[in-house]
Amino acid sequence: MMTGGIWENAVRYFTQHFDGRGEDLLLSNPGTCDFLGTVTARSLEGLAGRIASCRKCGLAKSRNRAVPGAGNPRAGLMLVGEAPGQEEDLRGEPFVGAAGRLLEKMIGSVGFTREEVYITNILKCRPPMNRDPHPDEIASCLPVLERQIALIRPALILALGRIAGQTLLRTGLSVEAMRGKVHESGGRTLMVTYHPAALLRSPDKKRPAWEDLKMLRKQYDLRVGDKTPWNPPKQA
Ligand code: URA
């Protein structure tokens, strides 16, 4: 059984499976994930097509539908969850079940709508029985998320829960240690808060989550303000 953070386990996986070259490659290219081939789709639609037909890991066999992500392609704020659940797997859309309904309320409480942000997950396919993602699945799927971030260029990323925080920050820290601050990492600005499913299980976490959301709003206003659209298309 593997111990440690999800990112450390992903590094270990590659170290074991790629003759010791994995760690070097992974750590020297944290933003590009070239070790599995950079994903080069030029648009979110193109990327969604590739995700729909992806067979890089075993989850392709058990999924009903891949769940690329949804929302505003020019969003200033991107939300990253863990992996699709049962309803998401059936509908092909992220956060449409109970956790999604709470997520909408959470972001709504600080003035964001689902339509103005972009929502995606670390994994684009549902792990059977909603088990934790395996390190090899994360490593296979990460280039896709990297490409989504590169295409959308959000001012701020909010990681929802331990797996998303650990993966995006390349760390083994707990949610408690990652939340409540602004992380500048690999040229990105990132915050971490509790996953809405964790708030459904443990309502005592709602207060600290609310503090995180207020901080998120402040950071968003500082960085994006009234710049609309936040993310104009690049000149050809
Ligand atoms: N939980 C997640 O992390 N993502 C979803 O899309 C749904 C539930």
Side-chain angles (χ1 to χ4, degrees), residues 6-212:
I6 200 82
W7 181 247
E8 283 147 16
N9 286 339
V11 170
R12 198 173 312 152
Y13 176 86
F14 277 97
T15 310
Q16 285 163 0
H17 290 77
F18 291 89
D19 301 328
R21 288 190 320 132
E23 185 160 1
D24 281 336
L25 287 171
L26 211 51
L27 295 178
S28 63
N29 289 304
T32 57
C33 293
D34 280 325
F35 59 93
L36 280 178
T38 305
V39 177
T40 54
R42 286 167 167 259
S43 67
L44 290 173
E45 293 77 21
L47 198 51
R50 293 204 195 175
I51 296 166
S53 58
C54 176
R55 309 208 68 81
K56 263 192 190 170
C57 80
L59 299 181
K61 287 196 207 102
S62 55
R63 73 172 177 230
N64 282 299
R65 296 179 66 171
V67 183
N72 177 2
R74 298 194 192 163
L77 173 62
M78 184 169 189
L79 308 181
V80 182
E82 180 176 319
Q86 187 175 27
E87 289 192 49
E88 290 79 15
D89 172 70
L90 291 172
R91 287 176 52 184
E93 276 181 61
F95 281 100
V96 288
R101 288 188 284 281
L102 179 56
L103 180 62
E104 268 185 52
K105 283 192 196 158
M106 288 164 66
I107 60 172
S109 70
V110 287
F112 293 111
T113 63
R114 193 182 166 97
E115 292 69 35
E116 77 180 304
V117 303
Y118 192 86
I119 307 179
T120 188
N121 285 299
I122 298 289
L123 294 190
K124 310 308 188 209
C125 297
R126 182 189 183 207
M129 309 302 291
N130 299 341
R131 63 159 169 72
D132 278 359
H134 291 165
D136 60 317
E137 293 160 355
I138 293 183
S140 298
C141 226
L142 203 48
V144 173
L145 178 62
E146 295 291 351
R147 190 67 192 143
Q148 287 177 313
I149 295 171
L151 286 167
I152 295 170
R153 293 179 288 133
L156 259 177
I157 300 174
L158 179 66
L160 300 163
R162 177 177 64 87
I163 302 279
Q166 289 183 341
T167 304
L168 285 165
L169 289 173
R170 282 71 165 135
T171 178
L173 291 173
S174 66
V175 176
E176 283 71 22
M178 291 184 281
R179 62 158 290 276
K181 34 181 101 105
V182 178
H183 303 265
E184 300 290 344
S185 171
R188 293 169 192 159
T189 308
L190 220 135
M191 291 184 61
V192 181
T193 193
Y194 293 104
H195 192 286
L199 300 183
L200 289 171
R201 287 191 302 269
S202 312
D204 56 305
K205 295 193 167 102
K206 283 188 179 171
R207 180 163 286 278
W210 167 236
E211 298 301 328
D212 293 339

